[in-house]
Amino acid sequence: MKRIILAAASLAVASACQAADWKILPGGALTFSGEQAGEKFTGHFSRFDAKISLDPQNLAEAKIVVTVDLASAATGDRQRDTALPDKDWFDIAAFPQARFESRQVTRTAAGYEAVGDLTLRGATKEIHLPFTLAIDGRKAEAKGHADLKREAFGVGQGQWASDEWVGYNVGVDFDLKAERSD
């Protein structure tokens, strides 16, 4: 009987140490913003996916992996939208996806922060991704913002390598809804 109780207790402890798995629900937003010729613009990615394992009570086990289909970028400007997939910008023929993979998730005064690697156009850089998280039963909503420098990832080649026409600063925002899948 002692063995059964010990086994049950071990299973309970092991289950409590695992992070909760979440499935992204349709209707979320992944947007970006920048400046071209002195004018601000915004765009969005219509195709992206995330694998999230996160329990606010056990952040040491948290893992976030986001993949973005770069061909799905759209800004509403035909010239810009035609240029983004090309070799000077995202070069989707060689690099069809961007990928973020967290190494650490911590609680902050404003919410949470995921620190991890963003790979874009073959370059991998550490980024800090602050976000808020609201959990209501089996549903959750996460919102966040990160500032990136496009030149750090080689986005904008040739005549676009300087910030003369297109600014280096890019803002990335997300608003995702998810449901527990475990």
mmCIF file of all heavy atoms in Angstrom, residues 47-95:
data_model
loop_
_atom_site.group_PDB
_atom_site.id
_atom_site.type_symbol
_atom_site.label_atom_id
_atom_site.label_comp_id
_atom_site.label_asym_id
_atom_site.label_seq_id
_atom_site.Cartn_x
_atom_site.Cartn_y
_atom_site.Cartn_z
ATOM 1 N N ARG A 47 -0.493 34.494 -41.257
ATOM 2 C CA ARG A 47 -0.238 33.085 -40.952
ATOM 3 C C ARG A 47 0.928 32.968 -39.973
ATOM 4 O O ARG A 47 2.056 33.343 -40.290
ATOM 5 C CB ARG A 47 0.042 32.302 -42.230
ATOM 6 C CG ARG A 47 -1.180 32.193 -43.134
ATOM 7 C CD ARG A 47 -0.924 31.298 -44.344
ATOM 8 N NE ARG A 47 0.174 31.744 -45.187
ATOM 9 C CZ ARG A 47 0.078 32.630 -46.170
ATOM 10 N NH1 ARG A 47 -1.073 33.203 -46.439
ATOM 11 N NH2 ARG A 47 1.134 32.949 -46.894
ATOM 12 N N PHE A 48 0.620 32.450 -38.802
ATOM 13 C CA PHE A 48 1.628 32.194 -37.783
ATOM 14 C C PHE A 48 1.087 31.114 -36.865
ATOM 15 O O PHE A 48 -0.112 30.845 -36.829
ATOM 16 C CB PHE A 48 1.982 33.465 -36.997
ATOM 17 C CG PHE A 48 0.791 34.144 -36.366
ATOM 18 C CD1 PHE A 48 0.390 33.812 -35.084
ATOM 19 C CD2 PHE A 48 0.079 35.104 -37.058
ATOM 20 C CE1 PHE A 48 -0.705 34.434 -34.500
ATOM 21 C CE2 PHE A 48 -1.016 35.733 -36.487
ATOM 22 C CZ PHE A 48 -1.408 35.393 -35.207
ATOM 23 N N ASP A 49 1.975 30.490 -36.111
ATOM 24 C CA ASP A 49 1.576 29.442 -35.181
ATOM 25 C C ASP A 49 2.448 29.555 -33.937
ATOM 26 O O ASP A 49 3.558 30.087 -33.989
ATOM 27 C CB ASP A 49 1.742 28.061 -35.817
ATOM 28 C CG ASP A 49 1.106 26.956 -34.986
ATOM 29 O OD1 ASP A 49 0.123 27.234 -34.264
ATOM 30 O OD2 ASP A 49 1.585 25.817 -35.046
ATOM 31 N N ALA A 50 1.930 29.054 -32.844
ATOM 32 C CA ALA A 50 2.692 29.091 -31.593
ATOM 33 C C ALA A 50 2.458 27.795 -30.827
ATOM 34 O O ALA A 50 1.349 27.277 -30.802
ATOM 35 C CB ALA A 50 2.275 30.285 -30.751
ATOM 36 N N LYS A 51 3.516 27.306 -30.235
ATOM 37 C CA LYS A 51 3.445 26.192 -29.297
ATOM 38 C C LYS A 51 3.816 26.780 -27.945
ATOM 39 O O LYS A 51 4.932 27.270 -27.769
ATOM 40 C CB LYS A 51 4.383 25.078 -29.707
ATOM 41 C CG LYS A 51 3.989 24.416 -31.022
ATOM 42 C CD LYS A 51 4.879 23.245 -31.315
ATOM 43 C CE LYS A 51 4.625 22.592 -32.637
ATOM 44 N NZ LYS A 51 3.443 22.754 -33.319
ATOM 45 N N ILE A 52 2.867 26.744 -27.024
ATOM 46 C CA ILE A 52 3.064 27.404 -25.738
ATOM 47 C C ILE A 52 2.825 26.406 -24.621
ATOM 48 O O ILE A 52 1.789 25.754 -24.569
ATOM 49 C CB ILE A 52 2.109 28.607 -25.581
ATOM 50 C CG1 ILE A 52 2.356 29.610 -26.710
ATOM 51 C CG2 ILE A 52 2.277 29.251 -24.211
ATOM 52 C CD1 ILE A 52 1.316 30.693 -26.814
ATOM 53 N N SER A 53 3.787 26.334 -23.745
ATOM 54 C CA SER A 53 3.672 25.537 -22.530
ATOM 55 C C SER A 53 4.046 26.479 -21.394
ATOM 56 O O SER A 53 5.212 26.859 -21.253
ATOM 57 C CB SER A 53 4.628 24.343 -22.601
ATOM 58 O OG SER A 53 4.451 23.501 -21.492
ATOM 59 N N LEU A 54 3.039 26.905 -20.620
ATOM 60 C CA LEU A 54 3.284 27.941 -19.621
ATOM 61 C C LEU A 54 2.279 27.839 -18.484
ATOM 62 O O LEU A 54 1.077 27.771 -18.718
ATOM 63 C CB LEU A 54 3.166 29.316 -20.285
ATOM 64 C CG LEU A 54 3.606 30.508 -19.450
ATOM 65 C CD1 LEU A 54 4.217 31.565 -20.345
ATOM 66 C CD2 LEU A 54 2.467 31.102 -18.673
ATOM 67 N N ASP A 55 2.802 27.815 -17.284
ATOM 68 C CA ASP A 55 2.007 27.871 -16.065
ATOM 69 C C ASP A 55 2.606 28.992 -15.219
ATOM 70 O O ASP A 55 3.779 28.921 -14.842
ATOM 71 C CB ASP A 55 2.084 26.539 -15.320
ATOM 72 C CG ASP A 55 1.337 26.548 -14.003
ATOM 73 O OD1 ASP A 55 0.906 27.625 -13.535
ATOM 74 O OD2 ASP A 55 1.178 25.464 -13.417
ATOM 75 N N PRO A 56 1.853 30.053 -14.930
ATOM 76 C CA PRO A 56 2.405 31.164 -14.159
ATOM 77 C C PRO A 56 2.980 30.752 -12.801
ATOM 78 O O PRO A 56 3.825 31.453 -12.260
ATOM 79 C CB PRO A 56 1.210 32.105 -13.971
ATOM 80 C CG PRO A 56 0.318 31.802 -15.112
ATOM 81 C CD PRO A 56 0.475 30.325 -15.360
ATOM 82 N N GLN A 57 2.549 29.620 -12.282
ATOM 83 C CA GLN A 57 3.072 29.138 -10.992
ATOM 84 C C GLN A 57 4.348 28.319 -11.163
ATOM 85 O O GLN A 57 4.956 27.911 -10.168
ATOM 86 C CB GLN A 57 2.003 28.298 -10.273
ATOM 87 C CG GLN A 57 0.692 29.026 -10.050
ATOM 88 C CD GLN A 57 0.880 30.365 -9.361
ATOM 89 O OE1 GLN A 57 1.590 30.496 -8.378
ATOM 90 N NE2 GLN A 57 0.246 31.402 -9.915
ATOM 91 N N ASN A 58 4.746 28.051 -12.405
ATOM 92 C CA ASN A 58 5.931 27.238 -12.670
ATOM 93 C C ASN A 58 6.635 27.746 -13.926
ATOM 94 O O ASN A 58 6.724 27.049 -14.924
ATOM 95 C CB ASN A 58 5.528 25.767 -12.819
ATOM 96 C CG ASN A 58 6.726 24.863 -12.961
ATOM 97 O OD1 ASN A 58 7.849 25.241 -12.639
ATOM 98 N ND2 ASN A 58 6.507 23.663 -13.468
ATOM 99 N N LEU A 59 7.119 28.963 -13.874
ATOM 100 C CA LEU A 59 7.725 29.587 -15.049
ATOM 101 C C LEU A 59 9.043 28.932 -15.466
ATOM 102 O O LEU A 59 9.452 29.061 -16.621
ATOM 103 C CB LEU A 59 7.926 31.083 -14.800
ATOM 104 C CG LEU A 59 6.630 31.890 -14.690
ATOM 105 C CD1 LEU A 59 6.928 33.338 -14.339
ATOM 106 C CD2 LEU A 59 5.805 31.788 -15.958
ATOM 107 N N ALA A 60 9.685 28.212 -14.564
ATOM 108 C CA ALA A 60 10.943 27.550 -14.910
ATOM 109 C C ALA A 60 10.752 26.524 -16.024
ATOM 110 O O ALA A 60 11.680 26.230 -16.776
ATOM 111 C CB ALA A 60 11.541 26.877 -13.677
ATOM 112 N N GLU A 61 9.557 25.990 -16.171
ATOM 113 C CA GLU A 61 9.264 24.991 -17.195
ATOM 114 C C GLU A 61 8.626 25.589 -18.447
ATOM 115 O O GLU A 61 8.293 24.867 -19.382
ATOM 116 C CB GLU A 61 8.339 23.912 -16.625
ATOM 117 C CG GLU A 61 8.952 23.117 -15.495
ATOM 118 C CD GLU A 61 10.161 22.310 -15.935
ATOM 119 O OE1 GLU A 61 10.127 21.726 -17.042
ATOM 120 O OE2 GLU A 61 11.155 22.286 -15.185
ATOM 121 N N ALA A 62 8.437 26.899 -18.492
ATOM 122 C CA ALA A 62 7.746 27.545 -19.614
ATOM 123 C C ALA A 62 8.557 27.439 -20.898
ATOM 124 O O ALA A 62 9.786 27.523 -20.892
ATOM 125 C CB ALA A 62 7.473 29.008 -19.286
ATOM 126 N N LYS A 63 7.843 27.284 -22.000
ATOM 127 C CA LYS A 63 8.469 27.230 -23.323
ATOM 128 C C LYS A 63 7.499 27.834 -24.328
ATOM 129 O O LYS A 63 6.323 27.477 -24.379
ATOM 130 C CB LYS A 63 8.772 25.771 -23.690
ATOM 131 C CG LYS A 63 9.558 25.621 -24.944
ATOM 132 C CD LYS A 63 10.981 26.038 -24.694
ATOM 133 C CE LYS A 63 11.851 25.663 -25.870
ATOM 134 N NZ LYS A 63 13.188 26.165 -25.743
ATOM 135 N N ILE A 64 7.997 28.768 -25.127
ATOM 136 C CA ILE A 64 7.203 29.417 -26.168
ATOM 137 C C ILE A 64 7.974 29.328 -27.476
ATOM 138 O O ILE A 64 9.140 29.740 -27.536
ATOM 139 C CB ILE A 64 6.942 30.901 -25.824
ATOM 140 C CG1 ILE A 64 6.229 31.023 -24.479
ATOM 141 C CG2 ILE A 64 6.154 31.582 -26.938
ATOM 142 C CD1 ILE A 64 6.205 32.440 -23.923
ATOM 143 N N VAL A 65 7.326 28.803 -28.498
ATOM 144 C CA VAL A 65 7.923 28.734 -29.829
ATOM 145 C C VAL A 65 6.895 29.284 -30.816
ATOM 146 O O VAL A 65 5.778 28.772 -30.893
ATOM 147 C CB VAL A 65 8.313 27.290 -30.223
ATOM 148 C CG1 VAL A 65 8.875 27.260 -31.641
ATOM 149 C CG2 VAL A 65 9.309 26.709 -29.236
ATOM 150 N N VAL A 66 7.279 30.330 -31.529
ATOM 151 C CA VAL A 66 6.390 30.970 -32.499
ATOM 152 C C VAL A 66 7.048 30.906 -33.867
ATOM 153 O O VAL A 66 8.225 31.251 -34.003
ATOM 154 C CB VAL A 66 6.111 32.445 -32.126
ATOM 155 C CG1 VAL A 66 5.211 33.108 -33.165
ATOM 156 C CG2 VAL A 66 5.512 32.544 -30.736
ATOM 157 N N THR A 67 6.291 30.455 -34.865
ATOM 158 C CA THR A 67 6.772 30.480 -36.240
ATOM 159 C C THR A 67 5.844 31.382 -37.055
ATOM 160 O O THR A 67 4.624 31.357 -36.865
ATOM 161 C CB THR A 67 6.821 29.070 -36.873
ATOM 162 O OG1 THR A 67 5.551 28.458 -36.749
ATOM 163 C CG2 THR A 67 7.880 28.209 -36.204
ATOM 164 N N VAL A 68 6.442 32.171 -37.920
ATOM 165 C CA VAL A 68 5.706 33.143 -38.721
ATOM 166 C C VAL A 68 5.993 32.887 -40.194
ATOM 167 O O VAL A 68 7.153 32.821 -40.603
ATOM 168 C CB VAL A 68 6.113 34.589 -38.361
ATOM 169 C CG1 VAL A 68 5.336 35.594 -39.192
ATOM 170 C CG2 VAL A 68 5.937 34.841 -36.877
ATOM 171 N N ASP A 69 4.935 32.746 -40.986
ATOM 172 C CA ASP A 69 5.048 32.618 -42.436
ATOM 173 C C ASP A 69 5.260 34.023 -42.994
ATOM 174 O O ASP A 69 4.331 34.833 -43.050
ATOM 175 C CB ASP A 69 3.776 31.984 -42.985
ATOM 176 C CG ASP A 69 3.798 31.836 -44.498
ATOM 177 O OD1 ASP A 69 4.683 32.412 -45.175
ATOM 178 O OD2 ASP A 69 2.907 31.144 -45.020
ATOM 179 N N LEU A 70 6.493 34.320 -43.397
ATOM 180 C CA LEU A 70 6.828 35.674 -43.847
ATOM 181 C C LEU A 70 6.122 36.066 -45.139
ATOM 182 O O LEU A 70 5.915 37.256 -45.395
ATOM 183 C CB LEU A 70 8.339 35.816 -43.995
ATOM 184 C CG LEU A 70 9.129 35.668 -42.691
ATOM 185 C CD1 LEU A 70 10.628 35.681 -42.963
ATOM 186 C CD2 LEU A 70 8.746 36.756 -41.698
ATOM 187 N N ALA A 71 5.702 35.085 -45.933
ATOM 188 C CA ALA A 71 4.963 35.395 -47.163
ATOM 189 C C ALA A 71 3.588 35.970 -46.868
ATOM 190 O O ALA A 71 2.946 36.536 -47.745
ATOM 191 C CB ALA A 71 4.829 34.140 -48.030
ATOM 192 N N SER A 72 3.136 35.855 -45.620
ATOM 193 C CA SER A 72 1.807 36.350 -45.266
ATOM 194 C C SER A 72 1.808 37.809 -44.811
ATOM 195 O O SER A 72 0.777 38.330 -44.397
ATOM 196 C CB SER A 72 1.186 35.470 -44.177
ATOM 197 O OG SER A 72 1.795 35.695 -42.918
ATOM 198 N N ALA A 73 2.958 38.495 -44.933
ATOM 199 C CA ALA A 73 3.047 39.905 -44.535
ATOM 200 C C ALA A 73 2.240 40.775 -45.488
ATOM 201 O O ALA A 73 2.314 40.612 -46.712
ATOM 202 C CB ALA A 73 4.498 40.370 -44.514
ATOM 203 N N ALA A 74 1.471 41.687 -44.919
ATOM 204 C CA ALA A 74 0.680 42.624 -45.735
ATOM 205 C C ALA A 74 0.584 43.955 -45.012
ATOM 206 O O ALA A 74 0.388 44.001 -43.804
ATOM 207 C CB ALA A 74 -0.718 42.068 -45.987
ATOM 208 N N THR A 75 0.730 45.035 -45.789
ATOM 209 C CA THR A 75 0.645 46.385 -45.220
ATOM 210 C C THR A 75 -0.472 47.210 -45.852
ATOM 211 O O THR A 75 -0.728 48.329 -45.402
ATOM 212 C CB THR A 75 1.968 47.150 -45.417
ATOM 213 O OG1 THR A 75 2.170 47.361 -46.821
ATOM 214 C CG2 THR A 75 3.141 46.407 -44.816
ATOM 215 N N GLY A 76 -1.082 46.692 -46.913
ATOM 216 C CA GLY A 76 -2.107 47.462 -47.604
ATOM 217 C C GLY A 76 -1.553 48.378 -48.678
ATOM 218 O O GLY A 76 -2.298 49.060 -49.363
ATOM 219 N N ASP A 77 -0.239 48.388 -48.850
ATOM 220 C CA ASP A 77 0.398 49.176 -49.898
ATOM 221 C C ASP A 77 0.967 48.188 -50.921
ATOM 222 O O ASP A 77 1.855 47.395 -50.590
ATOM 223 C CB ASP A 77 1.513 50.040 -49.295
ATOM 224 C CG ASP A 77 2.253 50.838 -50.344
ATOM 225 O OD1 ASP A 77 3.215 50.293 -50.932
ATOM 226 O OD2 ASP A 77 1.880 52.011 -50.563
ATOM 227 N N ARG A 78 0.460 48.235 -52.141
ATOM 228 C CA ARG A 78 0.837 47.243 -53.155
ATOM 229 C C ARG A 78 2.337 47.194 -53.410
ATOM 230 O O ARG A 78 2.931 46.126 -53.491
ATOM 231 C CB ARG A 78 0.086 47.513 -54.454
ATOM 232 C CG ARG A 78 0.162 46.341 -55.420
ATOM 233 C CD ARG A 78 -0.677 46.623 -56.613
ATOM 234 N NE ARG A 78 0.024 47.622 -57.419
ATOM 235 C CZ ARG A 78 -0.019 47.701 -58.727
ATOM 236 N NH1 ARG A 78 -0.784 46.881 -59.386
ATOM 237 N NH2 ARG A 78 0.652 48.608 -59.374
ATOM 238 N N GLN A 79 2.975 48.348 -53.531
ATOM 239 C CA GLN A 79 4.415 48.383 -53.807
ATOM 240 C C GLN A 79 5.202 47.755 -52.650
ATOM 241 O O GLN A 79 6.092 46.932 -52.863
ATOM 242 C CB GLN A 79 4.864 49.824 -54.055
ATOM 243 C CG GLN A 79 6.330 49.930 -54.403
ATOM 244 C CD GLN A 79 6.774 51.370 -54.641
ATOM 245 O OE1 GLN A 79 6.044 52.316 -54.364
ATOM 246 N NE2 GLN A 79 7.982 51.538 -55.140
ATOM 247 N N ARG A 80 4.865 48.125 -51.429
ATOM 248 C CA ARG A 80 5.556 47.582 -50.253
ATOM 249 C C ARG A 80 5.294 46.080 -50.123
ATOM 250 O O ARG A 80 6.214 45.293 -49.877
ATOM 251 C CB ARG A 80 5.107 48.318 -48.989
ATOM 252 C CG ARG A 80 5.911 47.959 -47.765
ATOM 253 C CD ARG A 80 5.442 48.687 -46.509
ATOM 254 N NE ARG A 80 5.423 50.119 -46.652
ATOM 255 C CZ ARG A 80 4.327 50.884 -46.560
ATOM 256 N NH1 ARG A 80 3.153 50.350 -46.311
ATOM 257 N NH2 ARG A 80 4.402 52.181 -46.692
ATOM 258 N N ASP A 81 4.034 45.682 -50.308
ATOM 259 C CA ASP A 81 3.675 44.273 -50.159
ATOM 260 C C ASP A 81 4.336 43.392 -51.220
ATOM 261 O O ASP A 81 4.665 42.237 -50.953
ATOM 262 C CB ASP A 81 2.157 44.096 -50.198
ATOM 263 C CG ASP A 81 1.478 44.684 -48.976
ATOM 264 O OD1 ASP A 81 2.188 45.027 -47.994
ATOM 265 O OD2 ASP A 81 0.253 44.809 -48.982
ATOM 266 N N THR A 82 4.553 43.937 -52.412
ATOM 267 C CA THR A 82 5.247 43.199 -53.469
ATOM 268 C C THR A 82 6.738 43.085 -53.156
ATOM 269 O O THR A 82 7.371 42.079 -53.472
ATOM 270 C CB THR A 82 5.045 43.902 -54.830
ATOM 271 O OG1 THR A 82 3.642 43.983 -55.085
ATOM 272 C CG2 THR A 82 5.712 43.155 -55.965
ATOM 273 N N ALA A 83 7.311 44.104 -52.515
ATOM 274 C CA ALA A 83 8.745 44.123 -52.222
ATOM 275 C C ALA A 83 9.121 43.248 -51.017
ATOM 276 O O ALA A 83 10.203 42.659 -50.998
ATOM 277 C CB ALA A 83 9.207 45.555 -51.979
ATOM 278 N N LEU A 84 8.262 43.158 -50.011
ATOM 279 C CA LEU A 84 8.629 42.451 -48.776
ATOM 280 C C LEU A 84 9.118 41.017 -48.980
ATOM 281 O O LEU A 84 10.091 40.609 -48.348
ATOM 282 C CB LEU A 84 7.461 42.482 -47.775
ATOM 283 C CG LEU A 84 7.280 43.792 -47.026
ATOM 284 C CD1 LEU A 84 6.018 43.761 -46.172
ATOM 285 C CD2 LEU A 84 8.505 44.127 -46.181
ATOM 286 N N PRO A 85 8.513 40.219 -49.847
ATOM 287 C CA PRO A 85 8.997 38.841 -50.012
ATOM 288 C C PRO A 85 10.324 38.740 -50.770
ATOM 289 O O PRO A 85 10.983 37.702 -50.725
ATOM 290 C CB PRO A 85 7.893 38.152 -50.822
ATOM 291 C CG PRO A 85 6.723 39.061 -50.797
ATOM 292 C CD PRO A 85 7.247 40.437 -50.538
ATOM 293 N N ASP A 86 10.717 39.802 -51.472
ATOM 294 C CA ASP A 86 11.895 39.759 -52.337
ATOM 295 C C ASP A 86 13.210 39.638 -51.556
ATOM 296 O O ASP A 86 13.258 39.825 -50.345
ATOM 297 C CB ASP A 86 11.946 41.003 -53.226
ATOM 298 C CG ASP A 86 10.869 40.989 -54.298
ATOM 299 O OD1 ASP A 86 10.285 39.917 -54.570
ATOM 300 O OD2 ASP A 86 10.599 42.071 -54.869
ATOM 301 N N LYS A 87 14.263 39.392 -52.321
ATOM 302 C CA LYS A 87 15.593 39.140 -51.765
ATOM 303 C C LYS A 87 16.128 40.297 -50.906
ATOM 304 O O LYS A 87 16.833 40.072 -49.936
ATOM 305 C CB LYS A 87 16.561 38.836 -52.904
ATOM 306 C CG LYS A 87 17.864 38.284 -52.439
ATOM 307 C CD LYS A 87 18.690 37.775 -53.595
ATOM 308 C CE LYS A 87 19.914 37.121 -53.007
ATOM 309 N NZ LYS A 87 20.546 36.209 -53.909
ATOM 310 N N ASP A 88 15.770 41.538 -51.247
ATOM 311 C CA ASP A 88 16.257 42.675 -50.462
ATOM 312 C C ASP A 88 15.617 42.761 -49.081
ATOM 313 O O ASP A 88 16.184 43.385 -48.183
ATOM 314 C CB ASP A 88 16.000 43.993 -51.199
ATOM 315 C CG ASP A 88 17.001 44.239 -52.317
ATOM 316 O OD1 ASP A 88 18.052 43.569 -52.345
ATOM 317 O OD2 ASP A 88 16.719 45.110 -53.171
ATOM 318 N N TRP A 89 14.452 42.160 -48.919
ATOM 319 C CA TRP A 89 13.742 42.285 -47.646
ATOM 320 C C TRP A 89 13.710 40.959 -46.908
ATOM 321 O O TRP A 89 14.680 40.584 -46.284
ATOM 322 C CB TRP A 89 12.355 42.898 -47.881
ATOM 323 C CG TRP A 89 12.495 44.316 -48.329
ATOM 324 C CD1 TRP A 89 12.458 44.796 -49.599
ATOM 325 C CD2 TRP A 89 12.823 45.431 -47.495
ATOM 326 N NE1 TRP A 89 12.721 46.137 -49.615
ATOM 327 C CE2 TRP A 89 12.945 46.556 -48.325
ATOM 328 C CE3 TRP A 89 13.016 45.584 -46.130
ATOM 329 C CZ2 TRP A 89 13.246 47.824 -47.837
ATOM 330 C CZ3 TRP A 89 13.301 46.841 -45.632
ATOM 331 C CH2 TRP A 89 13.423 47.939 -46.481
ATOM 332 N N PHE A 90 12.606 40.225 -46.930
ATOM 333 C CA PHE A 90 12.523 38.961 -46.189
ATOM 334 C C PHE A 90 13.219 37.803 -46.897
ATOM 335 O O PHE A 90 13.585 36.826 -46.271
ATOM 336 C CB PHE A 90 11.069 38.572 -45.916
ATOM 337 C CG PHE A 90 10.378 39.434 -44.898
ATOM 338 C CD1 PHE A 90 9.033 39.731 -45.031
ATOM 339 C CD2 PHE A 90 11.042 39.941 -43.793
ATOM 340 C CE1 PHE A 90 8.370 40.514 -44.094
ATOM 341 C CE2 PHE A 90 10.403 40.720 -42.852
ATOM 342 C CZ PHE A 90 9.063 41.005 -43.008
ATOM 343 N N ASP A 91 13.384 37.885 -48.209
ATOM 344 C CA ASP A 91 13.991 36.815 -49.009
ATOM 345 C C ASP A 91 13.327 35.468 -48.693
ATOM 346 O O ASP A 91 13.978 34.519 -48.260
ATOM 347 C CB ASP A 91 15.508 36.746 -48.779
ATOM 348 C CG ASP A 91 16.219 35.862 -49.796
ATOM 349 O OD1 ASP A 91 15.574 35.391 -50.765
ATOM 350 O OD2 ASP A 91 17.424 35.625 -49.609
ATOM 351 N N ILE A 92 12.008 35.426 -48.915
ATOM 352 C CA ILE A 92 11.248 34.233 -48.514
ATOM 353 C C ILE A 92 11.631 32.987 -49.303
ATOM 354 O O ILE A 92 11.368 31.878 -48.842
ATOM 355 C CB ILE A 92 9.725 34.459 -48.556
ATOM 356 C CG1 ILE A 92 9.251 34.717 -49.983
ATOM 357 C CG2 ILE A 92 9.319 35.565 -47.601
ATOM 358 C CD1 ILE A 92 7.750 34.652 -50.135
ATOM 359 N N ALA A 93 12.279 33.138 -50.469
ATOM 360 C CA ALA A 93 12.738 31.959 -51.203
ATOM 361 C C ALA A 93 13.789 31.212 -50.387
ATOM 362 O O ALA A 93 13.811 29.983 -50.356
ATOM 363 C CB ALA A 93 13.293 32.357 -52.569
ATOM 364 N N ALA A 94 14.638 31.933 -49.693
ATOM 365 C CA ALA A 94 15.688 31.321 -48.871
ATOM 366 C C ALA A 94 15.275 31.179 -47.406
ATOM 367 O O ALA A 94 15.721 30.257 -46.722
ATOM 368 C CB ALA A 94 16.972 32.149 -48.963
ATOM 369 N N PHE A 95 14.439 32.094 -46.925
ATOM 370 C CA PHE A 95 14.069 32.129 -45.500
ATOM 371 C C PHE A 95 12.557 32.334 -45.363
ATOM 372 O O PHE A 95 12.094 33.436 -45.089
ATOM 373 C CB PHE A 95 14.806 33.277 -44.792
ATOM 374 C CG PHE A 95 16.286 33.287 -45.029
ATOM 375 C CD1 PHE A 95 16.856 34.202 -45.903
ATOM 376 C CD2 PHE A 95 17.111 32.372 -44.385
ATOM 377 C CE1 PHE A 95 18.222 34.219 -46.125
ATOM 378 C CE2 PHE A 95 18.482 32.380 -44.613
ATOM 379 C CZ PHE A 95 19.032 33.299 -45.484
#
